[in-house]
Amino acid sequence: MGRESMPADAVVYVVDDDPAMRESIAFLLESAGILARCYDSAEMLLSETSDLSAHGCVVTDIRMPGISGLQLVRELHDRSVLLPIVVITGHADVALAVEAMKAGVVDFLEKPFAEEALLRAVQGALARVEDQAARAQERSSIEARFAHLTAREREVFEAIAAGDSNKEAGRRLGISPRTVEIYRANVMAKMRAQTLSDLVRMALLRSAL
């Protein structure tokens, strides 16, 4: 994932109480064209959660004075800050890193780590953000189209998405198969579905809302 494919506001939030480590990570990221913002404590990052970019990720040490990296992961989750998180761990802290993975961390790096490993972890986290953003945008678009369906068209949409034939849908809705076919054509046009599989995929994405 190159810088040219990232949104302009992609940011990596680096949290580490070691100034040398913070500066090293920031230098590496910025050398790769990735914007980095540094914090010397979890508390400092948490004080700015309302200003964090939706197109970012967090890189944090697992052991820090005050709020630890693991506690930071949990606190961000509790605040509904869903940025992907990569944790950095010492050899003795691998068990903590595994616990962090169970709490939702996407990757962890054991010190000392190769620069390429950190870049891969960060790029993977940012790619995940973009995939989530694209899916959210698609769901929003589908929901907007669904809102323009009539009540009967919505019933037909749901029946077709459930796998009903025109005959089965007609029986369920108390209308003729021919009428279902007409409604189905309207639904396909309004939802901009080229095929039945398109319509089913839209229904599945809507169910994830």
Side-chain angles (χ1 to χ4, degrees), residues 51-108:
D51 298 322
L52 301 183
S53 169
H55 299 288
C57 72
V58 176
V59 175
T60 181
D61 196 356
I62 199 78
R63 280 196 187 275
M64 295 182 290
I67 297 177
S68 69
L70 181 56
Q71 290 171 313
L72 174 61
V73 172
R74 290 170 173 158
E75 184 63 30
L76 288 172
H77 183 270
D78 288 345
R79 297 187 186 193
S80 299
V81 177
L82 305 179
L83 299 182
I85 302 174
V86 177
V87 297
I88 298 170
T89 174
H91 179 68
D93 299 327
V94 172
L96 278 178
V98 171
E99 190 176 347
M101 293 283 281
K102 292 177 181 177
V105 164
V106 299
D107 205 350
F108 75 88

Side-chain angles (χ1 to χ4, degrees), residues 7 16-17 21 25 36-37 40 42 47-48 82 92 108 118 123 156 165 197 204-206:
D16 200 309
D17 62 304
M21 180 62 75
I25 293 174
R37 221 174 264 171
D40 61 14
S47 72
E48 298 185 8
L82 305 179
F108 75 88
L118 176 63
Q123 289 168 339
V156 171
S165 65
S197 63
L204 290 173
L205 279 171
R206 281 199 74 251

Side-chain angles (χ1 to χ4, degrees), residues 66-179:
I67 297 177
S68 69
L70 181 56
Q71 290 171 313
L72 174 61
V73 172
R74 290 170 173 158
E75 184 63 30
L76 288 172
H77 183 270
D78 288 345
R79 297 187 186 193
S80 299
V81 177
L82 305 179
L83 299 182
I85 302 174
V86 177
V87 297
I88 298 170
T89 174
H91 179 68
D93 299 327
V94 172
L96 278 178
V98 171
E99 190 176 347
M101 293 283 281
K102 292 177 181 177
V105 164
V106 299
D107 205 350
F108 75 88
L109 299 171
E110 187 178 352
K111 300 174 186 176
F113 51 82
E115 293 181 349
E116 294 78 9
L118 176 63
L119 286 175
R120 278 197 306 272
V122 166
Q123 289 168 339
L126 291 174
R128 179 178 296 212
V129 170
E130 286 311 290
D131 181 61
Q132 291 170 343
R135 288 175 68 83
Q137 185 174 18
E138 185 178 11
R139 285 197 298 268
S140 177
S141 177
I142 289 169
E143 190 64 14
R145 283 176 249 158
F146 184 81
H148 286 91
L149 299 182
T150 65
R152 179 63 85 185
E153 287 168 348
R154 292 181 187 188
E155 291 175 339
V156 171
F157 172 93
E158 289 166 0
I160 294 170
D164 287 357
S165 65
N166 289 349
K167 185 175 181 180
E168 290 167 336
R171 187 181 303 116
R172 181 192 296 189
L173 301 175
I175 56 180
S176 71
R178 174 59 183 159
T179 302

Side-chain angles (χ1 to χ4, degrees), residues 29-44:
L29 294 173
E30 291 177 353
S31 295
I34 303 171
L35 180 62
R37 221 174 264 171
C38 295
Y39 301 83
D40 61 14
S41 68
E43 290 89 340
M44 189 175 176

